[in-house]
Amino acid sequence: MPSRPVRWALAAVAFVALWLIAVAVSVPAIEDDLTGRVERQLAAAGIDQVAVDFDGRDGTLRGPENLREPALGAVTDRSGIRSLEYETGEPPSPTTTTAPGQVTVPSVVTAPDATTTTSTTSTTSTTTSTITTTTTTTTTTTVPAGPAVDASATIADRSVRLAGFVADDGQRQALLAAATAAFTPQGEVVDELSVQEHPNPAEGQSAAQALAEALGAASPTLASGTFRTGPGTLTLTDGEAFSEAAADRLGASLDDIGSRNGVAVDAAIDPAENDEDNLQSTLDTLVGRAGITFAPDSAVVEGSSEAVLDSVAEVLDEVPEPPVEVRGHTDSVGGAGPNQALSEQRAAAVVDELVARGVPEDRLTATGAGETEPIGPNDTEEGRARNRRIELIVGEGG
């Protein structure tokens, strides 16, 4: 029988041997687990041209240079990863090589937000003992699909078309509310906006808010153009304002909106070329969006219509010749006689507002049609709102 020192030495050798076996089994399992986890995040982000390799807990991504930032940004769950670098190059073709006795852990690909559990059990036997090592990793990952917001608003004539996506339904409802306030009841809002849920919707909040505010500023100043917003940006392309003064006002408003919301604004705005041929269509567009509104049952112009009246006066100044009839309309509530009187009073109030802005009084005529010329049904609130309106009708000659 071996002496006690010899038995201790043999025990120490056995312990070291078993420890080395455990390390040999667990390190590949860790590498395979981290590789699979990163591959799943890349796949969820739609990135399939980047290879993943781990040496222990140090990872390397390899692929085209243009995928460097998207790939590194897609790996949001880095628990257990010591370092992650990116090398430019062609990713190797996928191969599977298993050395004798090696334990291979299969990759598992799941949809975003899924919970993935990978278990690996390795058993190694010697003449003296059996060791079982189990490595279990549970990861719940929400992977951003891209920017939190990418939305557009295209303005043409009396309509605005919303398209693209925002990060949550609150942002969508805020944009719809802003568009409705700026372009109805006389105009139209076309809603093609969708919600693409994002793990951090706050990233798109400032941009969505800037677009909502831009719609309010654009309704009385911008004849046509397309706004687009993304993370930290707001752009306006093909912008044509109703007049040169309106272009200046809109530019100043957009600068203020960008500063207030912390977004970079890039706006291209040109003034329209107004003449007698397009004067009627221009005035129809101006007062055919949110319209010129009044306090209930009164001829007091509301403050929200001040910007519309500013643009009308500026357009009339650029086209100074034709006379213009200002015609008031009401809904059918209240009786024909009172409604006729109210429509005349409101038309006269608009004439006074335009004269105060420099339009010659002898160029303007105030008339009222009362409830006799509806453009919507008077049995719905929406229809009655459309019927309560001011029209500007360009006359002949000058």
Side-chain angles (χ1 to χ4, degrees):
M1 180 176 181
S3 65
R4 180 177 296 179
V6 172
R7 291 199 303 272
W8 285 352
L10 291 173
V13 170
F15 175 80
V16 171
L18 294 177
W19 180 81
L20 290 174
I21 292 171
V23 170
V25 171
S26 62
V27 169
I30 292 172
E31 292 174 346
D32 289 336
D33 175 67
L34 294 177
T35 298
R37 193 140 48 86
V38 172
E39 286 176 342
R40 288 191 292 276
Q41 295 184 68
L42 293 174
I47 299 172
D48 58 4
Q49 300 179 41
V50 175
V52 183
D53 181 61
F54 270 88
D55 182 6
R57 298 185 182 275
D58 299 313
T60 302
L61 306 182
R62 184 174 294 104
E65 176 62 29
N66 66 315
L67 292 180
R68 176 187 296 271
E69 295 302 324
L72 290 173
V75 186
T76 57
D77 177 18
R78 301 193 180 188
S79 55
I81 299 175
R82 182 164 52 198
S83 67
L84 188 64
E85 299 180 349
Y86 191 97
E87 293 182 358
T88 301
E90 292 298 325
S93 300
T95 57
T96 302
T97 303
T98 304
Q102 180 179 346
V103 176
T104 301
V105 180
S107 297
V108 180
V109 179
T110 65
D113 303 333
T115 299
T116 303
T117 302
T118 303
S119 299
T120 302
T121 303
S122 304
T123 303
T124 304
S125 299
T126 69
T127 57
T128 58
S129 62
T130 300
I131 296 177
T132 301
T133 302
T134 303
T135 303
T136 303
T137 302
T138 302
T139 305
T140 302
T141 305
T142 301
V143 181
V149 60
D150 184 0
S152 66
T154 300
I155 296 170
D157 298 324
R158 303 186 190 189
S159 73
V160 57
R161 180 184 299 273
L162 301 178
F165 64 85
V166 289
D168 61 28
D169 193 59
Q171 294 174 9
R172 178 177 180 272
Q173 294 301 328
L175 274 172
L176 284 176
T180 300
F183 285 84
T184 63
Q186 307 302 330
E188 179 186 20
V189 177
V190 180
D191 177 21
E192 298 176 352
L193 196 63
S194 63
V195 174
Q196 181 172 296
E197 292 189 357
H198 195 275
N200 186 13
E203 289 182 6
Q205 182 61 41
S206 60
Q209 179 63 30
L211 179 57
E213 294 181 18
L215 291 175
S219 177
T221 56
L222 190 68
S224 61
T226 298
F227 286 101
R228 183 165 184 173
T229 191
T233 64
L234 176 67
T235 61
L236 170 61
T237 56
D238 301 323
E240 183 175 85
F242 287 112
S243 66
E244 186 172 350
D248 292 340
R249 288 205 313 280
L250 178 58
S253 295
L254 294 178
D255 287 342
D256 181 61
I257 289 169
S259 176
R260 188 165 58 251
N261 290 283
V263 302
V265 174
D266 182 10
I269 313 171
D270 294 318
E273 295 182 2
N274 292 310
D275 55 35
E276 292 189 27
D277 291 336
N278 64 23
L279 180 58
Q280 185 64 69
S281 63
T282 298
L283 295 178
D284 288 346
T285 298
L286 257 173
V287 299
R289 291 177 177 175
I292 298 172
T293 59
F294 301 84
D297 299 318
S298 81
V300 178
V301 178
E302 291 185 314
S304 58
S305 297
E306 296 290 328
V308 176
L309 291 165
D310 289 342
S311 287
V312 169
E314 291 156 4
V315 169
L316 293 178
D317 181 63
E318 292 185 0
V319 188
E321 293 301 325
V324 176
E325 175 190 348
V326 180
R327 181 180 296 181
H329 301 267
T330 69
D331 58 30
S332 62
V333 177
N339 283 335
Q340 178 63 36
L342 182 59
S343 68
E344 294 172 358
Q345 293 164 8
R346 287 178 170 177
V350 171
V351 168
D352 291 341
E353 292 284 349
L354 293 175
V355 169
R357 288 167 169 78
V359 180
E361 186 174 5
D362 59 4
R363 187 183 177 186
L364 304 171
T365 303
T367 63
E371 62 185 59
T372 63
E373 298 177 357
I375 59 174
N378 273 305
D379 57 356
T380 67
E381 178 52 41
E382 181 182 18
R384 290 192 293 272
R386 294 190 65 207
N387 292 334
R388 299 189 295 266
R389 68 194 190 279
I390 291 289
E391 287 182 306
L392 302 179
I393 304 171
V394 178
E396 298 290 337

